[in-house]
Amino acid sequence: MSLDIDEAKYTHEYWMQNALALAEKAEVAGEVPVGAILVKDNQVIGEGFNQPIINHDPTAHAEIIAMRAAGKLLQNYRLVDTTLYVTLEPCAMCAMAMVHARINTIVFATKEPRTGASGSLYQLLQHQGHNHQIEIIEGVMQQQSSEMLKAFFKQRRCKN
């Protein structure tokens, strides 16, 4: 079975590039540059970028915003048969929200050794104690995401 030209463009890199564009919006807003896109049947059903500072909301992570938008669009809190693309490994809050939403797959760009809950510090997405496990694909456009984050924090340290 071969993909037609339109379907062939929808690769992990294609969606991650869109998530990186959202991460740039977060950076412009003074937020940690993280972006997320939630996809179902090659259609964006939710997207978000980090906004906890501007929204005065500790839960306003890119992944949570994307899942909230998708839930509203689908009129369902279950987000089955979806793939979440995110530029940084999710934290524990976001990982557990994904498990509860029944997201099928997460594709993330770069690891987060301090708070990552997809294998770096914790493994919540595939924990055998949960009634749902999420497929993990990591490292898609890792260098671009990592460089964006490093530059952001380097600039922040220089300002302080």
Side-chain angles (χ1 to χ4, degrees):
M1 179 177 183
S2 64
L3 297 175
D4 66 30
I5 293 170
D6 285 340
E7 289 176 343
K9 76 176 186 179
Y10 297 117
T11 63
H12 292 318
E13 289 80 12
Y14 172 84
W15 294 116
M16 190 61 73
Q17 186 63 48
N18 285 279
L20 284 164
L22 289 166
E24 289 174 4
K25 288 183 178 184
E27 184 172 23
V28 168
E31 301 278 359
V32 175
V34 178
I37 302 262
L38 192 58
V39 175
K40 182 179 177 80
D41 300 324
N42 284 327
Q43 298 291 317
V44 174
I45 60 169
E47 61 181 34
F49 58 89
N50 270 7
Q51 300 176 46
I53 297 167
I54 59 177
N55 285 341
H56 312 289
D57 179 358
T59 69
H61 290 195
E63 303 95 310
I64 299 295
I65 292 169
M67 286 186 284
R68 285 177 180 158
K72 287 180 182 176
L73 179 73
L74 298 178
Q75 292 293 289
N76 196 335
Y77 72 106
R78 297 284 194 223
L79 304 172
V80 297
D81 298 323
T82 60
T83 300
L84 182 70
Y85 293 87
V86 63
T87 59
L88 183 64
E89 180 181 4
C91 69
M93 173 186 69
C94 293
M96 287 310 302
M98 290 177 223
V99 169
H100 291 298
R102 305 296 194 269
I103 288 174
N104 187 63
T105 304
I106 179 173
V107 180
F108 70 86
T110 194
K111 290 183 177 257
E112 172 42 279
R114 290 182 181 94
T115 62
S118 304
S120 289
L121 183 62
Y122 308 108
Q123 180 45 275
L124 297 178
L125 297 180
Q126 295 179 337
H127 192 282
Q128 295 304 309
H130 300 154
N131 61 350
H132 177 74
Q133 286 80 42
I134 298 174
E135 177 186 10
I136 300 169
I137 300 170
E138 65 178 81
V140 175
M141 301 188 78
Q142 185 276 331
Q143 183 175 349
Q144 294 90 326
S145 179
S146 179
E147 287 174 1
M148 183 184 295
L149 287 158
K150 286 177 184 174
F152 174 81
F153 286 112
K154 181 178 181 181
Q155 181 182 26
R156 207 164 205 189
R157 282 190 300 274
C158 290
K159 286 182 178 180
N160 293 334

